[in-house]
Amino acid sequence: MAHEDVIRELQAIVGPRWVLHRPEDLLAYECDGYTLERRPPLAVVQPDSTEEVSRVLRALHRRRIPFIPRGAGTGLSGGAIPQGGEVVISLTRMNRLLEVDVENQRAVVQPGHVNLHLTQKVQGHGYYYAPDPSSQYACTLGGNVAENAGGPHCLKYGVTMNHVLGLTLVLPDGEVVRLGGKAWDYPGYDLVGLVVGSEGTMGVVTEIVVRLLRRPQAVKTCLALFDTVEDASRTVSGITARGIIPAALELMDRLAIDAVEKGNFPVGYPPDIQAVLIAEVDGLAAGLDDQMERIVAVCRENNVREVRVARTDAERALWWNNRKTAFGAMGKLAPDYYVQDGVIPRSKLTEVLRRIDEISREYGLPVANVFHAGDGNLHPLVLYDRRQPGVVEKVVKAGSAILKACVDAGGTISGEHGIGIEKREDMRLVFTQADLDAQSCVREVFDPDGLANPGKLLPSPARCVDIRALPVAGAAGGAGRAG
Amino acid sequence: MAAIQLGQAALRELDTCVHCGLCLPACPTYRELGQEPDSPRGRIYLARALFEGRLDPRGPALEHLDLCLGCLACETACPSGVHYGVILEDVRAATEAVRPRSVLVRWLRHLLLRWLLPSPGRLALAARLLRIGRALRLDALAPRHLRELGRAAPPVPPRPSRALLPAELPPPAPAAPLRVGLLAGCVQDVLLGETNLSTARVLGLYGCTVVNPPGQVCCGALAAHAGDRETARELARRNIEAFEGVDYVVVNAAGCGAHMKKYGHLLADDPEWAVRAEAFSRRVRDFSELLAALAAEGRGPELPGVAAGDGARPAVAYQDACHLAHGQGIRTQPRALLGQVCEVRNLADEACCGSAGFYNLVQPEMATAARDRKVEQIRATGARTVVTGNAGCLLQLRAGVRAAGLDVEVVHIADYLARRYDELGAAARPAGAGGGAQVAGAAARRE
């Protein structure tokens, strides 16, 4: 085999057990949560320390072999999918919680640490880690950093970027650098902010300093059932218009409800309601009842059929489990789904949903909607069966049409899932060629050889070298740049 | 490359998996190795590739399926409710014929699954040989993990439990008694027969007439999990026949109960047996499941002197057997029963202890890793007694506790309840108490 020597070298670095290279062992790494494209990697290597990651990258760099960092592979935009020939750097063994500094509200973790496990480990001290993607049972903090993951509570608390203080990053040539640190701010360029959300295109993150938040004194959650999605959407705008900042505002439409009710956590929603809204407030116990009453009042103004406030933690947990398993439960409705991640101004919710419904009918593909309504972050799930001839192309087109509708409404193409391979070309909907070239230049500062997760995030060709060759005053955004 | 054949049910389950990955952290082998082919999602992916002919079943792909404990924790975690166990069993059955196995292994499998387990007489004979072997200290010749397991097992009783139980054992104070058949089991019958006797006694206190039908055999779970579906089906038919005419079939081994609740599925395509099998499955109850239901109707022993908050209540840790918690969704019932007589402490998680049928015999490394994790959790509870509802877990945990030098006893829930009821001087409720007639009625309606 042509790659025998690299396999041998990787085995020498991490131990033979932690290098997968037989076709049978590689197959499961063909795709992540995004399943439209699939190709096996060259090998999978599981280092155990920053030092090992550095040695692995050095070995690959010497041979100009590209690599892909990968956590639990729950990503939804294909950020951890090989395009052919890469070595997957699997960070599942690097899952330790290295340090908890409760007094200063921070912790240091390795990238393979599961998101939810961090909260479970610090909750005894009265703290938690705020970003809570719906896949938090399984997804890793390294993956969260790569994709700048969000979650239902990001409406109030912000996304991953707002909770990362420092990073240890191994550059594609094996050099180890530290960005940020334990302080809440550092002078100079915000390189942490740059790497968070860079989807593994700048190297491999091996340590993460995160902020811990004090658990709110009290939480109140209500569930509102509506006869139309429009009424639910108007309720969302109504709540924020009154100056209430809920901890979470989540919406599911009829098809999404069908899926979760067939899943592992059925709530028992009436079969004829068209939308479910979950609203949660948290903070000091005093005043929370008042806020919840105001939310209930807004629901009533918008023809809510029924609104319940959770009486017990168990009830609240059931509602959230039901909501958080919505993507996974789609298997109950169709063999495959394709989830979009569009963002729109909240005020355009009703009109964009109507457009999505049109697109669904145009392409003859059912679309279920789950959304972080408070942030205007939509997740239309296009349902299909890949065995139908020609359906995949249709699905991709419908997905693009949905994103275009979001952009047309003044929004953008990703709220929390990243671009991956899925939306590379859609980047052109929101950026000019000049913007994209500039982003390529930034990327090449970290990865001049193009080895770090190649072909992700930026549309191709988008190479910094082109822009360098331009005359200084050249109009980089001109039509001639498109090729 | 030859594709493997899978049944409609397994294909439906394959289609239901959307590759989301939420099952990964629930899987003991993934937690240990962090490798996708050894995760539920990865195994489902490999199963599909085997079915589509993308992978050769004679290649290493099956190693990953073999490393699966079959604990079904992934079924609990799966948002889409994929029945992973159906896929696993089907793949094992479909690949059995093409597997590269040595003649010796084939012969041993045949001996165990088709000759020994299905025959109570041969099992009793084997048990007797085991007694002699132990007396002569022949177990010193076995590999370490087997020796550890062997030492954890109690002395082999001279007679199997079914020989000690009468064909019918009426309750001490009959109040419209329920007739329940007791599955004696195969291994349990000869090695842990005491548990069957305790089960029968406790059932009596809950107003049950315990029936011990002579024709009953091993439930067939081990054969089904090992890919020998034909043997499993034959054993199912014999049990269905043997347990005719009881209100419930009570099982005190989690794996057997989970399997017998699926006889309907196992024989679904057998026109002669499908309906009977389905009806049989509906009558199967785990020991704790039936008792908790009876207790909720006011049946069960009177327990003097166990007031809530009584400081004298001993602390026990309860270990969820996988095939109870994940396989049958039974978590609250055993805790409720134990809660009558002791303080119940939970382990840190529901992960498998590594016993998993005869997994601990064939995958000692992974089984021991899972076991040692569990023992640490037991230590953390501070309880001196661990209660579980499955013979396999019992032996595995005993071996683990012993290897760790922990002073903790591991007891089956039936034995523990019987002992506590004795200690507390529990008496059977007099005739007329409780709502027995309702239960019997409910059972009759279910038919």
Side-chain angles (χ1 to χ4, degrees):
Chain A
M1 203 200 287
H3 297 289
E4 259 169 35
D5 67 318
V6 67
I7 302 289
R8 253 198 311 274
E9 186 171 353
L10 294 176
Q11 285 174 332
I13 297 169
V14 300
R17 180 172 204 168
W18 308 114
V19 180
L20 304 180
H21 57 91
R22 301 180 300 190
E24 286 82 357
D25 302 336
L26 297 178
L27 203 70
Y29 289 91
E30 275 190 340
C31 53
D32 53 17
Y34 175 82
T35 54
L36 272 167
E37 288 174 55
R38 34 185 88 189
R39 274 190 212 108
L42 174 79
V44 176
V45 54
Q46 294 177 279
D48 193 39
S49 63
T50 301
E51 165 64 20
E52 282 186 6
V53 172
S54 166
R55 289 171 61 197
V56 165
L57 291 197
R58 223 178 290 263
L60 298 178
H61 185 255
R62 220 170 39 243
R63 296 175 173 83
R64 296 291 184 269
I65 295 175
F67 64 88
I68 304 176
R70 178 170 170 128
T74 56
L76 292 159
S77 58
I81 294 181
Q83 311 249 66
E86 299 98 326
V87 167
V88 166
I89 316 285
S90 164
L91 295 154
T92 48
R93 285 175 75 207
M94 292 181 63
N95 61 0
R96 293 180 279 272
L97 175 55
L98 299 173
E99 194 187 322
V100 179
D101 179 359
V102 169
E103 251 177 36
N104 294 301
Q105 293 191 223
R106 59 204 182 189
V108 184
V109 288
Q110 290 185 320
H113 200 78
V114 170
N115 174 303
L116 184 64
H117 294 176
L118 178 58
T119 287
Q120 286 169 345
K121 283 176 190 164
V122 299
Q123 67 188 3
H125 302 286
Y127 288 84
Y128 77 115
Y129 177 68
D132 61 338
S134 295
S135 57
Q136 71 177 141
Y137 307 97
C139 66
T140 63
L141 288 164
N144 292 173
V145 167
E147 305 297 325
N148 192 15
H153 290 87
C154 294
L155 167 60
K156 181 170 174 183
Y157 293 101
V159 291
T160 300
M161 196 173 70
N162 307 110
H163 298 267
V164 174
L165 301 172
L167 295 171
T168 300
L169 177 73
V170 184
L171 296 174
D173 63 359
E175 189 189 342
V176 179
V177 295
R178 293 205 152 73
L179 311 176
K182 289 184 177 174
W184 288 48
D185 192 21
Y186 275 81
Y189 298 113
D190 179 11
L191 296 179
V192 172
L194 187 58
V195 172
V196 175
S198 66
E199 307 193 16
T201 61
M202 292 179 176
V204 180
V205 168
T206 58
E207 278 183 27
I208 308 161
V209 187
V210 294
R211 286 168 61 186
L212 300 176
L213 296 192
R214 184 111 200 134
R215 281 161 71 90
Q217 198 182 51
V219 181
K220 277 206 170 298
T221 311
C222 87
L223 192 66
L225 313 178
F226 291 90
D227 290 316
T228 68
V229 180
E230 286 76 18
D231 284 337
S233 305
R234 271 195 294 275
T235 305
V236 171
S237 310
I239 290 170
T240 47
R242 280 193 180 49
I244 303 167
I245 303 174
L249 256 185
E250 298 282 301
L251 241 168
M252 290 189 286
D253 74 359
R254 182 66 243 165
L255 213 46
I257 297 167
D258 282 345
V260 289
E261 288 294 278
K262 284 181 187 155
N264 266 359
F265 299 100
V267 169
Y269 294 126
D272 58 336
I273 53 152
Q274 295 303 313
V276 165
L277 178 70
I278 299 177
E280 185 161 283
V281 287
D282 66 8
L284 294 173
L288 226 48
D289 283 339
D290 173 54
Q291 279 191 52
M292 190 43 87
E293 270 167 33
R294 287 164 64 200
I295 288 176
V296 170
V298 180
C299 293
R300 296 243 154 82
E301 280 164 27
N302 289 289
N303 316 315
V304 69
R305 183 189 308 180
E306 189 188 336
V307 53
R308 321 174 197 161
V309 179
R311 282 155 303 187
T312 61
D313 281 349
E315 194 172 23
R316 194 178 149 254
L318 174 66
W319 297 351
W320 275 118
N321 281 332
N322 175 280
R323 158 63 190 92
K324 286 203 167 187
T325 49
F327 292 2
M330 287 300 149
K332 287 286 181 198
L333 301 185
D336 301 285
Y337 74 86
Y338 178 50
V339 59
Q340 279 302 346
D341 177 31
V343 184
I344 55 164
R346 265 189 311 250
S347 55
K348 299 282 178 69
L349 213 48
T350 313
E351 120 189 17
V352 173
L353 287 174
R354 205 172 297 132
R355 175 76 193 116
I356 291 174
D357 192 41
E358 277 168 28
I359 294 168
S360 163
R361 271 182 276 128
E362 260 167 54
Y363 287 89
L365 294 164
V367 177
N369 284 291
V370 178
F371 29 105
H372 306 311
D375 330 359
N377 187 184
L378 308 184
H379 294 310
L381 295 126
V382 184
L383 306 179
Y384 68 102
D385 181 345
R386 72 172 61 244
R387 288 163 302 194
Q388 282 173 13
V391 76
V392 171
E393 293 77 43
K394 246 180 16 175
V395 168
V396 172
K397 279 191 191 147
S400 267
I402 290 172
L403 288 182
K404 182 148 189 321
C406 293
V407 173
D408 288 347
T412 183
I413 61 170
S414 176
E416 53 178 350
H417 296 174
I419 301 301
I421 43 179
E422 175 200 11
K423 286 183 283 197
R424 271 177 315 188
E425 294 310 313
D426 297 315
M427 285 286 270
R428 299 187 193 281
L429 292 174
V430 276
F431 293 112
T432 65
Q433 188 62 42
D435 295 332
L436 295 170
D437 288 341
Q439 294 195 29
S440 291
C441 283
V442 175
R443 173 180 179 163
E444 287 189 19
V445 170
F446 290 80
D447 179 30
D449 304 294
L451 299 179
N453 209 1
K456 310 290 163 61
L457 184 62
L458 296 173
S460 58
R463 297 280 293 164
C464 190
V465 64
D466 303 340
I467 199 170
R468 275 192 210 131
L470 279 179
V472 180
R481 300 288 313 140
Chain B
M1 185 182 311
I4 63 166
Q5 291 299 310
L6 295 178
Q8 282 306 314
L11 291 177
R12 217 170 23 245
E13 299 302 328
L14 282 183
D15 277 348
T16 307
C17 172
V18 290
H19 214 257
C20 72
L22 289 203
C23 54
L24 300 188
C27 174
T29 56
Y30 179 80
R31 280 211 291 222
E32 197 62 29
L33 299 171
Q35 297 177 338
E36 299 249 354
D38 292 309
S39 75
R41 173 173 78 171
R43 291 184 177 114
I44 289 174
Y45 204 72
L46 294 184
R48 179 181 280 285
L50 287 165
F51 171 72
E52 289 171 350
R54 292 178 68 199
L55 280 184
D56 190 336
R58 288 158 303 184
L62 293 183
E63 288 172 16
H64 299 297
L65 288 138
D66 287 346
L67 198 62
C68 169
L69 295 123
C71 72
L72 307 184
C74 52
E75 291 198 1
T76 298
C78 176
S80 274
V82 173
H83 293 294
Y84 168 84
V86 172
I87 299 174
L88 182 70
E89 240 175 60
D90 220 30
V91 171
R92 284 185 175 163
T95 53
E96 194 42 50
V98 296
R99 267 170 177 274
R101 287 197 201 276
S102 70
V103 176
L104 176 70
V105 170
R106 279 190 189 282
W107 182 76
L108 280 174
R109 277 173 58 89
H110 194 87
L111 188 76
L112 180 72
L113 296 174
R114 301 207 160 175
W115 190 80
L116 182 64
L117 290 179
S119 161
R122 287 176 199 142
L123 269 167
L125 178 68
R128 217 168 300 149
L129 291 174
L130 194 61
R131 257 167 82 91
I132 298 168
R134 275 207 189 158
L136 297 174
R137 305 218 170 271
L138 292 178
D139 52 344
L141 301 173
R144 195 176 74 100
H145 72 280
L146 291 184
R147 239 176 16 242
E148 278 181 8
L149 269 177
R151 289 202 190 118
V156 183
R159 301 176 71 195
S161 64
R162 58 167 73 210
L164 301 170
L165 277 170
E168 266 196 36
L169 180 67
L178 275 181
R179 283 171 62 79
V180 302
L182 174 62
L183 179 80
C186 46
V187 178
Q188 176 127 327
D189 183 33
V190 294
L191 287 185
L192 299 161
E194 190 62 38
T195 299
N196 284 348
L197 305 184
S198 300
T199 304
R201 267 174 54 216
V202 174
L203 283 168
L205 291 176
Y206 282 76
C208 300
T209 290
V210 178
V211 182
N212 170 28
Q216 64 160 312
V217 284
C218 160
C219 72
L222 287 174
H225 295 165
D228 187 356
R229 191 167 282 170
E230 262 330 294
T231 302
R233 283 157 68 99
E234 185 46 38
L235 292 171
R237 292 188 195 102
R238 284 163 66 184
N239 278 327
I240 294 167
E241 192 84 67
F243 284 102
E244 281 296 314
V246 294
D247 295 316
Y248 296 108
V249 178
V250 176
V251 186
N252 58 16
C256 308
H259 179 67
M260 293 173 90
K261 285 181 177 178
K262 287 190 300 198
Y263 275 5
H265 164 71
L266 188 66
L267 294 169
D269 57 1
D270 182 336
E272 225 180 291
W273 288 82
V275 176
R276 269 174 94 182
E278 188 55 45
F280 175 91
S281 284
R282 280 201 303 271
R283 283 185 292 146
V284 175
R285 294 287 183 282
D286 179 69
F287 167 75
S288 61
E289 184 185 17
L290 179 65
L291 253 52
L294 293 176
E297 292 191 7
R299 287 221 188 189
E302 285 184 283
L303 296 170
V306 200
D310 181 349
R313 288 152 68 95
V316 303
Y318 177 72
Q319 126 90 7
D320 286 283
C322 292
H323 282 244
L324 269 190
H326 305 300
Q328 301 178 57
I330 294 176
R331 296 179 176 85
T332 55
Q333 297 93 323
R335 289 179 169 86
L337 288 170
L338 290 168
Q340 303 170 339
V341 295
C342 62
E343 177 208 327
V344 186
R345 295 186 185 165
N346 289 316
L347 302 181
D349 63 38
E350 284 183 346
C352 177
C353 67
S355 165
F358 52 72
Y359 184 92
N360 51 3
L361 305 185
V362 292
Q363 301 279 2
E365 204 182 328
M366 188 59 72
T368 306
R371 182 193 83 181
D372 292 348
R373 245 176 223 262
K374 194 104 274 190
V375 170
E376 271 322 297
Q377 296 185 3
I378 291 171
R379 191 199 297 273
T381 65
R384 303 284 293 275
T385 303
V386 186
V387 173
T388 185
N390 191 41
C393 309
L394 188 87
L395 295 178
Q396 175 82 348
L397 292 179
R398 273 190 191 158
V401 160
R402 219 181 137 117
L406 223 58
D407 180 21
V408 166
E409 64 159 351
V410 188
V411 199
H412 191 282
I413 185 169
D415 292 315
Y416 186 78
L417 287 179
R419 187 169 89 199
R420 283 295 285 155
Y421 290 163
D422 280 351
E423 285 168 2
L424 296 166
R429 276 181 206 275
Q438 284 165 324
V439 177
R445 273 197 303 280
R446 248 178 229 112
E447 289 312 294

